[in-house]
């Protein structure tokens, strides 16, 4: 329980002090009263003693030997008269006269109303023998004196006064005069004490108010100013120091908190946004997609996803450097974002892959239009340092209904559709349909059977001859064939890219190289002229640092003269990791192998690199050869390539020759070697060994008769 007076130290201390003062005053008063009583009794005793002595002296004549023996009446009268003098003393209760044996002879009863006979008798009997002195008992003062005559004891005189009233009256008077003084002193003391306390404890009160205010305002920059050196000011100073510590801790805390918040923001940004383009990243878009899919499912609506990647981005990165590649990605992000409307979401999944979730484009017409807008937007080149860079996009579109509203299926369907676009010729878009899943499953099956194909000897190498303008065979290209146990014959054009994606290329290349080494002696035996067996390398082979050693060891193992070998590589594969490829090909070339650049004309638009790479032969791609009859542009490109190769002292081989007209045109332009179904399809070793080492090259006239190429 809280006593209100103790709510503040000041009032508690004052209350204790006042209580102490009161108790102390009461004690003093009590002691004073005691002292007063004894003094009062002393003084009254002295008065009574004097009176008793006077009366006893006055009684002496009546107690002379003679008078006592005569027992005369005049004595009695004399005693009575003497006793009656006591009437002047109204406080005398009674007086007794005794003989020497303490037998009462006379008695005087005073005017006091309380002197009734019984009390007088009781008090008289209480004294049995004379004490010869004054004493106080039960509120009565007694005085006993001897009555002598001629020096001899004749009797006693007792006088009793009633003292109690008198004493209490005197005490009351004493108290009545003392109490006001005491009260005055106490009040004064309390006031002084309270004042001193207030002064001493004022900083404490201020401190209490100050801490309450700080608790409320949380302003820890405030300080309490007090003067003095007592404990309270020390306490105030300590509290000030404590608040200063809290303030600095708070500042540190605030700084750390804001740092944490900033870090949190950065983490969220890093976790959800692509640092290069500032677009939402895979994590963010996948989360959003999940939410959007469940929302669309609830609302019974469809949702469209557009997935695209950049055509030839890898080449840009490799030839112009990653800095330019990054710029392209940033500009692509900007260009795509500018095409979007409110609510559309563009995200970068990684590399050159982007994803668009259009907000409303669920109708066929709308998203077809949107895909076209996207493709159109990329027809404008990106310009860096005065260089125009054309970057195309291949788009895959998938719909939530086709993916059963499953996020992974939706993305994977868009991916499948996007690869369709790439295969169909870049810069196109494809909308996913369920038949594409079949293709996907087939791809998966192929990918999963490659290892088994190597161990189960399902692969076979076919050789396609290359013919010089004289007609004699100058080489054989090894082309892989695969009789799949379930899918039947699978073309390398289909399984090589899948093997590349699955990282299976090194084992395939190793297998083909070894096969060619094994077959070489037989081929050499059949074809006595100089020729080269060419093996196709993929871009993935060139990333294999052990390839040179492997080939070198293989040639040693099979005792192969490297001058019988050629390696074919596409220009994009060569340039993909230029430094490593160049080093590898220079070593290969030094060993005696030839190198030819396959499918020339299909990849790069820049020809500047041709002077820097170590190759012997340029292979003009089949698409130019086959379009010679129909396309003026193809004829021009082919003519230019041949001319260029001649200037660079390179051998030219044209592939995909199917008719004499192509041969005639190519030879007229100075083409060195010819390869195609016209001479022979790729053949298994057994069939190859049946082949004549020399082909007839169709003459001009015969050519003219068969078809005419407008050149
Ligand atoms: P490539 O190296 O450009 O091979 C030439 C392709 O053209 C071969 O297709 C060949 O059969 C085909 N061809 C040759 N003459 C004619 C013709 O007159 N008309 C037509 N229409 N086609 C002709 P194939 O064998 O289907 O190989 C396709 C591609 O697969 C090859 O293109 C090569 O890039 C790759 N490839 C084949 N075998 C291997 C291999 O062992 N390793 C690697 N890495 N790639 C290989
Ligand atoms: Mg080839
Ligand atoms: Mg080729």
């Amino acid at each position: 329980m809280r006593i209100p007076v103790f709510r503040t130290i000041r009032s508690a201390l004052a209350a204790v002090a006042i209580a102490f003062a009161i108790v102390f005053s009461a004690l003093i008063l009590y002691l004073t009263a005691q002292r007063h009583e004894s003094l009062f009794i002393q003084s009254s005793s002295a008065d009574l003693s004097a009176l008793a002595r006077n009366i006893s002296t006055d009684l002496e004549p009546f107690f002379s030997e003679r008078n006592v023996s005569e027992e005369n009446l005049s004595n009695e009268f004399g005693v009575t008269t003497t006793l009656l003098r006591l009437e002047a003393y109204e406080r005398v209760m009674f007086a007794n006269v005794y003989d020497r044996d303490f037998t009462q002879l006379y008695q005087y009863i005073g005017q006091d109303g309380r002197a009734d006979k019984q009390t007088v008798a009781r008090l008289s009997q209480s004294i049995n023998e004379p004490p010869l002195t004054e004493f106080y008992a039960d509120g009565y003062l007694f005085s006993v004196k001897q009555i002598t005559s001629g020096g001899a004891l004749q009797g006693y005189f007792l006088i009793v006064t009633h003292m109690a009233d008198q004493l209490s009256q005197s005490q009351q008077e004493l108290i009545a005069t003392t109490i006001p003084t005491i009260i005055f002193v106490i009040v004064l003391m309390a006031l002084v004490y309270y004042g001193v306390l207030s002064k001493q404890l004022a900083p404490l009160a201020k401190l209490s108010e100050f801490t309450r205010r700080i608790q409320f305002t949380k302003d820890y920059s405030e300080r309490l100013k007090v003067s003095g050196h007592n404990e309270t000011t020390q306490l105030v100073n300590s509290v000030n120091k404590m608040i200063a510590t809290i303030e600095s801790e708070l500042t540190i805390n605030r700084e750390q908190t804001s740092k944490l918040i900033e870090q949190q923001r950065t983490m969220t940004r890093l976790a959800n946004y692509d640092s290069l383009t500032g677009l939402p990243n895979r994590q963010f878009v996948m989360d959003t997609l999940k939410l959007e899919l469940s929302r669309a499912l609830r609302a019974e609506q469809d949702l469209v996803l557009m997935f695209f990647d950049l055509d030839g981005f890898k080449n840009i990165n490799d030839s112009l450097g990653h800095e330019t590649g990054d710029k392209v990605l940033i500009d692509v992000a900007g260009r795509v974002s500018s095409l979007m409307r409110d609510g559309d979401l563009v995200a970068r999944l990684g590399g050159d892959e982007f994803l668009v979730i259009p907000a409303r484009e669920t109708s066929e017409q709308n998203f077809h239009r949107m895909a076209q807008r996207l493709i159109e937007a990329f027809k404008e080149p990106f310009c860096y340092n005065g260089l125009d860079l054309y970057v195309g996009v291949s788009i895959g579109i998938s719909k939530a209904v086709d993916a059963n509203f499953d996020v992974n299926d939706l993305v994977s369907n868009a991916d499948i559709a996007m690869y369709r676009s790439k295969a169909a010729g870049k810069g196109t878009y494809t909308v996913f349909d369920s038949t594409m899943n079949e293709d996907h499953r087939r791809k998966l099956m192929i990918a999963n059977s490659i290892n088994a194909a190597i161990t189960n000897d399902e692969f076979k190498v076919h050789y396609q001859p290359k013919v010089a303008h004289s007609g004699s065979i100058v080489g054989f290209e090894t082309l892989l064939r695969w009789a799949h146990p379930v899918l039947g014959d699978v073309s390398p054009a289909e399984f090589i890219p899948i093997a590349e994606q699955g990282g299976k290329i090194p084992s395939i290349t190793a297998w083909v190289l070894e096969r060619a080494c094994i077959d070489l002696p037989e081929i050499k035996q059949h074809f006595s002229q100089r020729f080269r067996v060419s093996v196709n390398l993929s871009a993935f082979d060139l990333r294999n640092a052990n390839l040179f050693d492997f080939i070198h060891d293989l040639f040693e193992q099979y005792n192969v003269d490297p001058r019988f070998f050629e390696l074919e590589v596409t220009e994009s594969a060569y340039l993909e990791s230029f430094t490593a490829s160049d080093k590898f090909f220079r070593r290969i070339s030094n060993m005696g192998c030839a190198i030819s650049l396959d499918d020339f004309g299909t990849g790069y638009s820049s020809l500047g690199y041709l002077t820097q790479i170590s190759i012997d032969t340029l292979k003009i791609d089949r698409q130019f050869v086959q379009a010679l009859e129909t396309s003026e542009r193809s004829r021009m490109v082919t003519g230019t390539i041949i001319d260029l190769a001649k200037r660079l002292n390179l051998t030219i081989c044209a592939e995909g020759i199917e008719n004499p007209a192509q041969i005639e045109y190519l030879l007229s332009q100075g083409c060195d070697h010819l390869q195609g179904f016209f001479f022979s399809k790729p053949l298994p070793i057994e069939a190859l060994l049946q082949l004549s080492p020399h082909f007839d090259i169709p003459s001009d006239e015969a050519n003219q008769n068969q078809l005419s190429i407008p050149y």
Side-chain angles (χ1 to χ4, degrees):
M1 196 184 73
R2 258 183 162 195
I3 303 166
V5 86
F6 290 123
R7 205 170 287 154
T8 65
I9 297 178
R10 205 167 18 170
S11 44
L13 284 179
V16 169
I18 288 168
F20 180 75
I22 289 170
V23 169
F24 186 69
S25 305
L27 187 68
I28 298 275
L29 197 62
Y30 171 76
L31 292 175
T32 309
Q34 291 292 308
R35 183 75 186 135
H36 172 80
E37 186 184 305
S38 75
L39 285 174
F40 188 83
I41 290 168
Q42 242 175 32
S43 122
S44 298
S45 298
D47 288 352
L48 193 64
S49 171
L51 181 64
R53 195 174 304 115
N54 285 343
I55 297 294
S56 64
T57 308
D58 289 348
L59 286 174
E60 277 176 12
F62 307 109
F63 279 82
S64 62
E65 286 286 333
R66 190 180 49 87
N67 282 345
V68 169
S69 60
E70 283 177 7
E71 291 182 4
N72 56 35
L73 279 173
S74 63
N75 273 358
E76 190 178 339
F77 179 74
V79 171
T80 308
T81 311
T82 306
L83 290 178
L84 281 175
R85 275 173 39 207
L86 291 174
E87 280 184 352
Y89 304 91
E90 55 183 35
R91 279 187 281 129
V92 173
M93 204 176 167
F94 70 95
N96 290 342
V97 179
Y98 302 92
D99 64 10
R100 65 170 76 101
D101 300 324
F102 214 70
T103 307
Q104 187 179 319
L105 300 175
Y106 304 97
Q107 185 168 61
Y108 164 81
I109 295 183
Q111 305 299 310
D112 195 328
R114 285 161 297 194
D116 60 291
K117 285 211 169 117
Q118 279 175 353
T119 312
V120 171
R122 181 175 55 82
L123 291 174
S124 297
Q125 279 162 19
S126 71
I127 300 170
N128 301 323
E129 53 182 300
L132 296 180
T133 183
E134 285 75 38
F135 63 93
Y136 177 78
D138 295 335
Y140 300 95
L141 191 61
F142 297 78
S143 183
V144 182
K145 296 286 179 200
Q146 289 179 341
I147 304 167
T148 53
S149 175
L153 175 71
Q154 295 300 332
Y156 295 93
F157 176 68
L158 165 71
I159 184 164
V160 177
T161 56
H162 190 265
M163 273 288 289
D165 282 358
Q166 221 183 326
L167 183 62
S168 90
Q169 193 188 343
S170 172
Q171 276 178 333
Q172 275 170 13
E173 278 166 15
L174 174 77
I175 288 169
T177 50
T178 320
I179 288 264
T181 314
I182 289 177
I183 290 175
F184 174 74
V185 169
I186 288 178
V187 169
L188 187 69
M189 199 188 85
L191 286 175
V192 170
Y193 189 70
Y194 193 79
V196 172
L197 265 188
S198 296
K199 193 169 172 354
Q200 292 299 313
L201 296 180
L204 211 56
K206 276 190 196 166
L207 183 65
S208 158
E209 156 63 19
F210 171 70
T211 49
R212 214 174 301 135
R213 194 173 59 245
I214 286 200
Q215 197 183 359
F216 179 71
T217 60
K218 307 259 183 288
D219 179 3
Y220 296 98
S221 61
E222 272 197 67
R223 297 288 178 274
L224 185 62
K225 284 198 183 96
V226 286
S227 52
H229 296 286
N230 58 18
E231 293 92 327
T232 323
T233 45
Q234 279 171 12
L235 177 66
V236 169
N237 289 336
S238 302
V239 169
N240 276 340
K241 276 184 200 153
M242 198 172 76
I243 289 175
T245 313
I246 291 176
E247 190 191 12
S248 74
E249 287 294 324
L250 263 184
T251 314
I252 295 168
N253 269 1
R254 246 181 248 129
E255 277 167 14
Q256 280 178 344
T257 311
S258 64
K259 255 188 215 159
L260 276 178
I261 291 171
E262 188 48 43
Q263 277 174 349
Q264 177 76 33
R265 281 203 197 114
T266 314
M267 300 259 288
T268 314
R269 211 173 37 245
L270 286 177
N272 292 306
Y273 291 87
D274 170 41
S275 54
L276 180 67
T277 60
L279 291 180
N281 63 10
R282 177 184 288 273
Q283 167 81 36
F284 182 89
V285 83
M286 290 309 256
D287 290 347
T288 311
L289 206 52
K290 275 183 207 152
L291 290 176
E292 285 295 307
L293 276 173
S294 27
R295 188 196 53 75
L297 188 63
R298 277 198 306 276
E300 295 182 0
Q301 286 173 343
D302 201 359
L303 186 142
V304 167
L305 183 72
M306 288 186 153
F307 181 81
F308 67 89
D309 87 2
L310 307 180
D311 298 333
F313 177 71
K314 201 163 183 31
N315 294 340
I316 293 175
N317 243 351
D318 292 341
S319 57
L320 302 173
H322 284 269
E323 231 170 84
T324 312
D326 285 352
K327 278 187 195 158
V328 170
L329 289 172
I330 293 167
D331 289 349
V332 164
R335 206 175 270 193
V336 176
S337 299
S338 70
L339 289 179
M340 297 298 135
R341 283 172 295 184
D342 271 358
D344 295 344
L345 179 81
V346 190
R348 181 181 171 214
L349 290 193
D352 61 341
E353 291 179 344
F354 293 82
L355 205 145
V356 176
I357 310 173
R360 297 173 293 270
E361 314 289 337
T362 50
S363 83
E364 288 270 326
Q365 205 190 2
N366 278 346
F367 66 72
H368 277 274
R369 210 179 302 134
M370 190 169 184
Q372 257 149 8
R373 268 208 323 266
L374 207 60
I375 289 169
E376 282 300 314
F378 280 83
K379 291 208 166 135
E380 277 289 302
F382 292 92
C383 185
Y384 303 108
N385 302 328
L387 187 75
D388 279 350
L389 267 184
Y390 287 89
V391 178
V393 282
S394 297
I395 307 173
I397 299 171
S398 64
K399 292 187 275 181
V401 279
D402 294 331
N404 229 349
F405 290 85
D406 179 274
V407 67
N408 293 325
D409 287 354
L410 185 67
V411 175
S412 133
N413 289 352
D415 190 43
I416 291 170
M418 195 271 287
Y419 274 100
R420 268 298 172 93
S421 298
K422 279 226 181 293
K426 302 167 174 180
T428 52
Y429 71 91
T430 310
V431 182
F432 173 86
D433 73 63
S434 51
T435 59
M436 290 177 194
N437 264 334
E438 281 303 315
D439 288 2
H440 190 61
R441 266 195 284 278
R442 182 180 163 92
K443 270 190 189 161
L444 268 182
M445 194 171 192
I446 290 174
N448 293 334
S449 347
I450 291 176
N451 282 346
I454 295 175
T455 44
N456 300 343
D457 245 359
E458 291 166 16
F459 286 128
K460 223 172 164 33
V461 168
H462 282 202
Y463 295 88
Q464 186 178 33
K466 294 176 186 173
V467 179
H469 54 82
S470 60
S472 57
I473 291 176
V474 289
F476 306 96
E477 179 172 6
T478 56
L479 291 160
L480 202 52
R481 295 293 173 258
W482 183 10
H484 191 281
V486 179
L487 302 172
D489 287 344
V490 184
S491 153
E494 186 179 6
F495 71 76
I496 291 290
I498 297 171
E500 283 176 339
Q501 279 172 18
K504 308 275 168 60
I505 280 294
S507 38
I508 291 181
T509 304
W511 188 87
V512 175
L513 279 165
E514 187 165 12
R515 196 67 245 164
C517 289
I518 294 168
D519 290 344
L520 185 63
E522 270 188 288
I523 304 172
K524 265 164 93 174
Q525 212 175 13
H526 183 73
F527 300 98
S528 52
Q529 71 269 41
R530 275 301 309 272
F531 62 86
R532 282 184 190 268
V533 173
S534 38
V535 173
N536 289 288
L537 292 186
S538 134
F540 287 77
D541 288 313
L542 300 177
R543 291 183 209 151
N544 175 4
N546 300 324
L547 185 63
F548 177 81
D549 292 339
F550 175 79
I551 295 174
H552 184 267
D553 295 350
L554 199 66
F555 287 171
E556 289 214 325
Q557 185 189 345
Y558 288 96
N559 199 19
V560 166
D561 180 352
R563 285 172 305 164
F564 278 87
F565 262 85
E566 182 179 54
L567 298 177
E568 291 191 13
V569 63
T570 61
E571 48 187 342
S572 52
Y574 197 121
L575 297 174
E576 193 179 287
S577 39
F578 178 79
T579 319
S581 306
D582 204 50
K583 189 175 162 207
F584 168 76
F585 284 122
R586 279 182 204 285
R587 294 179 78 190
I588 281 287
S589 178
N590 290 341
M591 199 165 65
C593 279
I595 297 127
S596 67
L597 207 58
D598 208 355
D599 304 342
F600 188 73
T602 53
Y604 262 67
S605 45
S606 156
L607 298 174
Y609 68 90
L610 274 182
T611 54
Q612 296 164 31
I613 62 178
S614 357
I615 54 164
D616 306 285
T617 305
L618 268 190
K619 286 187 82 176
I620 301 176
D621 191 71
R622 197 167 75 218
Q623 76 181 52
F624 297 108
V625 175
Q626 284 174 350
L628 282 178
E629 297 140 86
T630 51
S631 157
E632 171 64 21
R633 190 175 167 274
S634 277
R635 284 196 295 277
M636 272 179 60
V637 171
T638 311
T640 311
I641 292 174
I642 295 172
D643 187 47
L644 179 79
K646 292 279 145 208
R647 285 170 202 272
L648 293 172
N649 264 338
L650 299 174
T651 307
I652 280 284
C653 175
E655 55 185 357
I657 310 285
E658 289 182 355
N659 61 54
Q662 293 162 340
I663 299 170
E664 210 261 321
Y665 177 78
L666 289 163
L667 291 183
S668 73
Q669 295 296 307
C671 182
D672 304 299
H673 299 153
L674 305 162
Q675 176 186 356
F677 293 170
F678 179 80
F679 299 104
S680 166
K681 290 205 163 189
L683 299 171
I685 180 79
E686 306 79 33
L688 184 76
L689 298 179
Q690 307 299 318
L691 217 58
S692 147
H694 193 89
F695 287 97
D696 286 335
I697 299 292
S699 68
D700 278 4
E701 299 83 62
N703 226 357
Q704 292 294 325
N705 294 339
Q706 282 187 28
L707 51 81
S708 62
I709 296 180
Y711 57 88

